[in-house]
């Protein structure tokens, strides 16, 4: 699907030849003299169209436009949320029609966040996962034009959002794939493919390399599986070598059964999404390849399965992490922090300006924040503020969580330097406190995306979050440094 941005108002849009013309109508709409404006004015007056978003009105071959279908959708005060709701409903309402060409027209000038919302929503509503279907019913949309009278002011946001969509869709693709079609090896191969793009390099380490590095925590998680672990090192070189990189660390558990501390059967299939952090790192690199910002980025992905077998790690086992700290693995289902802690130690060698890990880390974070905001933990106030702001701008929102020392209390044990779990209370925070022990040498933030990376129920599937947030953060850093 290709997006384009056109400088066009309602008059020009009524001449556009397309399968569907979607007109976004704000509550402040003032009808001009042209036919389409008059039609919109009449429909509003009649009460057949509400200015509140969510209830689109479709007209078939109305004489006022060249398009085969005209869809009118109220966007209320025009805020991003309203535009998102309106566009999602409008695209869903015509989805079955096999549309190829669509024009989305703002009736007048558009704001940057409204354009971002429109592009993201068109992509979201038209997305279709087809891998492994014997009769794939993929996306039919081929070309989507976003039309506004002030297009030139919107160009930068538009380009960034289109790249975000590319990254989001790559992240969705990998997160949605069944665990047997997205093994650590296959995931690493997808990362390697990215190195075909200019400025991107990829190196993949296997079990022997990881053993040599002393990644005892990562190896302990992987040891119950027949699938060999992979440690992916992606690099994007967008500026001078002397500029310290930002390191992104993505949790890459391609399937989380819980290990010996096995999870209950219902919904266990959803644990194929446990590599969503890794998928978001891959998605960000895809977008970097398109936008080529002047920033250096390293992506680290510890990828393995968390399974049970005669060789699996057991509750109570003590392992030595790459940092030298020993860990008592009291619960084998708290595996994310074990693979991440060694990746965080590995990150030190890049002398990074910041390290951000992204992980579907805790069910507790789902309880705390649900599927709306990701949990954001930061030991560095400035970094925390930047990420929070990037979330708002990108419409991929997060929320600051605390890191008080008292939360680390439960991680104490008589048998090792630290335990991998600290009891149920404040579970998202104790997990972050565990990770923080491995981040003393750099400025660090942690995003717990357990609630935001995918949806359960009828709409089950990956969301591609937080590709938008991370990309926005990187682009801001590229401009400021
Ligand atoms: N991958 C899960 C976290 C998770 C749970 C994500 C539910 C999304 C939905 C993680 O590895 C895990 O199992 N965490 C445990 C930690 C506990 C044993 C301290 C959890 O949250 O129950
Ligand atoms: Mn787990
Ligand atoms: Zn997990």
């Amino acid at each position: 699907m290709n997006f384009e941005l056109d400088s066009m108002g309602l008059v020009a849009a009524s001449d556009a030849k397309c399968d569907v013309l979607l007109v976004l109508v704000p509550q402040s709409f003032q009808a001009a003299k042209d036919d389409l404006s008059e039609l919109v004015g009449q429909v509003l007056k009649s009460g057949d169209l509400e200015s509140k978003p969510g209830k689109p009105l479709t007209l078939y071959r109305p004489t006022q436009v060249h398009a085969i279908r005209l869809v009118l959708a109220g966007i209320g005060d025009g805020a991003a949320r309203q535009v998102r709701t309106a566009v999602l409903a409008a695209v869903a309402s015509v989805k079955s029609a096999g549309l190829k060409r669509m024009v989305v027209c703002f009736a007048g000038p558009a704001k940057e966040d409204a354009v971002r919302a429109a592009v993201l929503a068109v992509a979201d509503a038209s997305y279709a996962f087809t891998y492994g279907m014997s009769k794939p019913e993929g996306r039919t949309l081929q070309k989507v034009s976003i039309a506004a009278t002030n297009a030139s002011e919107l160009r930068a946001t538009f380009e960034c959002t289109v790249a975000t969509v590319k990254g989001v869709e790559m992240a969705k693709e990998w997160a949605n794939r069944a665990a047997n079609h997205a093994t650590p090896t296959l995931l690493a191969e997808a990362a390697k493919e990215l190195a075909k793009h200019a400025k991107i390099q990829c190196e993949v380490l296997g079990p022997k390399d990881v053993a040599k590095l002393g990644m005892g925590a990562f190896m302990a998680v992987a040891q119950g599986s027949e699938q060999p672990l992979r440690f992916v090192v992606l690099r994007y070189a967008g500026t001078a070598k002397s500029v310290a990189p930002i390191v992104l660390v993505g949790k890459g558990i391609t399937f989380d059964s819980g290990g010996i501390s096995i999870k209950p059967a219902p919904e266990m299939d959803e644990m194929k999404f446990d590599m969503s952090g890794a998928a978001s790192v891959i998605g960000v690199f895809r977008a970097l390849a398109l936008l080529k910002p002047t920033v250096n980025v390293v992506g680290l992905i510890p990828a393995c399965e968390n399974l049970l077998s005669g060789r699996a790690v057991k509750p109570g086992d003590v392992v030595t992490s790459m940092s030298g700290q020993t860990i008592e693995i009291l619960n084998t289902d708290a595996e994310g922090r074990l693979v991440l802690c060694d990746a965080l130690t590995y990150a030190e060698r890049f002398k990074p300006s910041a390290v951000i890990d992204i992980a579907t880390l805790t069910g507790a974070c789902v309880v705390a924040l649900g599927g709306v905001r990701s949990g954001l933990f930061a030991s560095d106030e400035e970094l925390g503020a930047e990420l929070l702001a990037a979330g708002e701008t990108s419409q991929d929102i997060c929320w600051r969580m605390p890191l008080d020392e008292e939360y680390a209390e439960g991680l104490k044990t008589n048998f090792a330097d630290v335990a991998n779990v600290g009891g149920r209370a404040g579970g998202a925070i104790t997990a972050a406190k565990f990770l923080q022990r491995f981040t003393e040498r750099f400025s660090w933030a942690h995003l717990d995306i357990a609630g935001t990376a995918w949806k359960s129920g009828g709409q089950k599937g990956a969301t591609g979050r937080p590709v938008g947030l991370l990309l926005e953060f990187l682009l801001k850093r590229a401009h400021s440094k």
Side-chain angles (χ1 to χ4, degrees):
M1 179 179 47
N2 283 316
F3 281 100
E4 60 179 43
L5 179 67
D6 293 320
S7 185
M8 183 155 74
L10 280 187
V11 180
S14 57
D15 268 340
K17 288 197 179 63
C18 54
D19 297 306
V20 57
L21 169 61
L22 168 58
V23 178
L24 303 177
V25 184
Q27 67 201 14
S28 61
F29 181 79
Q30 298 280 340
K33 284 273 172 274
D34 62 286
D35 291 352
L36 178 53
S37 291
E38 277 184 6
L39 174 67
V40 174
Q42 280 166 17
V43 174
L44 274 176
K45 213 167 156 193
S46 72
D48 285 316
L49 179 70
E50 285 180 34
S51 61
K52 211 174 91 208
K55 284 189 188 154
L57 180 72
T58 304
L59 296 89
Y60 196 73
R61 288 193 188 278
T63 54
Q64 291 87 343
V65 302
H66 261 99
I68 298 169
R69 295 166 198 81
L70 172 65
V71 180
L72 304 178
I75 54 168
D77 62 5
R81 271 195 184 82
Q82 311 257 37
V83 172
R84 177 174 176 81
T85 311
V87 174
L88 285 176
V91 175
S93 75
V94 288
K95 201 176 170 182
S96 55
L99 316 171
K100 293 201 176 94
R101 172 103 180 73
M102 174 156 94
V103 176
V104 181
C105 185
F106 285 89
K111 295 204 192 90
E112 283 177 55
D113 62 344
V115 167
R116 189 188 298 262
V119 171
L120 292 174
V122 169
D124 236 6
S126 63
Y127 174 81
F129 180 75
T130 58
Y131 189 89
M133 312 266 186
S134 62
K135 293 190 187 79
E137 280 178 38
R139 170 185 270 150
T140 57
L141 266 184
Q142 288 167 359
K143 198 169 154 205
V144 180
S145 307
I146 305 290
T149 51
N150 59 332
S152 61
E153 298 161 26
L154 305 166
R155 182 68 53 191
T157 298
F158 172 79
E159 298 295 350
C160 161
T161 313
V162 172
T164 302
V165 166
K166 263 276 181 220
V168 160
E169 297 201 344
M170 184 153 186
K172 281 185 181 179
E173 175 65 30
W174 280 94
N176 279 332
R177 280 195 195 183
N180 62 327
H181 295 144
T183 59
T185 305
L186 291 169
L187 195 62
E189 273 166 23
K192 265 193 182 155
E193 285 279 303
L194 287 169
K196 286 184 181 155
H197 297 282
K199 301 178 198 270
I200 294 182
Q201 284 183 340
C202 181
E203 190 189 348
V204 177
L205 310 185
K208 279 191 192 137
D209 311 302
V210 162
K212 232 182 255 159
L213 287 164
M215 292 184 168
F218 180 21
M219 286 158 58
V221 177
Q223 78 191 36
S225 166
E226 296 292 325
Q227 290 290 338
L229 65 77
R230 292 289 181 259
F231 189 80
V232 177
V233 184
L234 275 162
R235 285 168 210 248
Y236 167 77
T239 187
K241 265 204 180 120
S242 56
V243 178
I246 293 158
V247 179
L248 304 178
V249 181
K251 172 177 171 183
I253 299 296
T254 59
F255 188 74
D256 181 12
S257 71
I260 298 293
S261 314
I262 193 167
K263 289 182 180 294
E267 278 107 52
M268 203 206 272
D269 64 290
E270 293 187 356
M271 285 300 132
K272 70 174 181 178
F273 294 120
D274 212 19
M275 35 58 77
S276 294
S280 76
V281 172
I282 286 175
V284 166
F285 273 76
R286 180 69 193 86
L288 290 173
L290 287 169
L291 293 172
K292 303 185 184 68
T294 52
V295 60
N296 290 332
V297 187
V298 173
L300 301 178
I301 299 174
C304 69
E305 294 183 327
N306 184 24
L307 291 186
L308 347 69
S309 77
R311 277 188 311 201
V313 73
K314 303 171 293 299
D317 282 2
V318 174
V319 297
T320 305
S321 66
M322 186 179 172
S323 73
Q325 297 179 67
T326 58
I327 305 167
E328 185 187 22
I329 303 179
L330 285 174
N331 189 321
T332 63
D333 198 10
E335 84 298 338
R337 61 199 79 180
L338 296 173
V339 305
L340 289 171
C341 72
D342 282 340
L344 287 168
T345 302
Y346 188 86
E348 287 174 6
R349 67 185 56 203
F350 300 102
K351 300 192 171 57
S353 59
V355 177
I356 304 162
D357 74 74
I358 309 103
T360 48
L361 202 63
T362 65
C365 194
V366 189
V367 174
L369 296 172
V372 181
R373 288 182 186 260
S374 305
L376 165 63
F377 300 81
S379 58
D380 175 324
E381 284 309 309
E382 204 185 317
L383 179 61
E386 279 176 85
L387 286 164
L388 189 68
E392 298 297 325
T393 307
S394 60
Q395 299 167 28
D396 186 351
I397 51 185
C398 58
W399 196 252
R400 270 310 273 281
M401 302 281 278
L403 281 170
D404 301 283
E405 231 8 79
E406 287 81 352
Y407 286 108
E409 206 55 35
L411 295 171
K412 288 190 177 144
T413 160
N414 297 335
F415 304 105
D417 296 341
V418 66
N420 77 327
V421 290
R424 276 170 59 81
I429 311 167
T430 51
K433 288 307 286 181
F434 178 91
L435 293 177
Q436 193 180 13
R437 298 175 62 99
F438 302 84
T439 65
E440 270 164 8
R441 300 216 167 85
F442 41 72
S443 140
W444 164 77
H446 156 59
L447 286 164
D448 193 331
I449 58 167
T452 52
W454 80 87
K455 293 183 182 146
S456 304
Q459 295 223 40
K460 192 191 281 187
T463 61
R465 290 174 69 181
V467 169
L469 183 163
L470 294 168
L471 191 64
E472 176 62 27
F473 165 78
L474 294 172
L475 294 179
K476 275 270 152 56
R477 281 268 173 133
H479 285 298
S480 68
K481 304 266 150 89

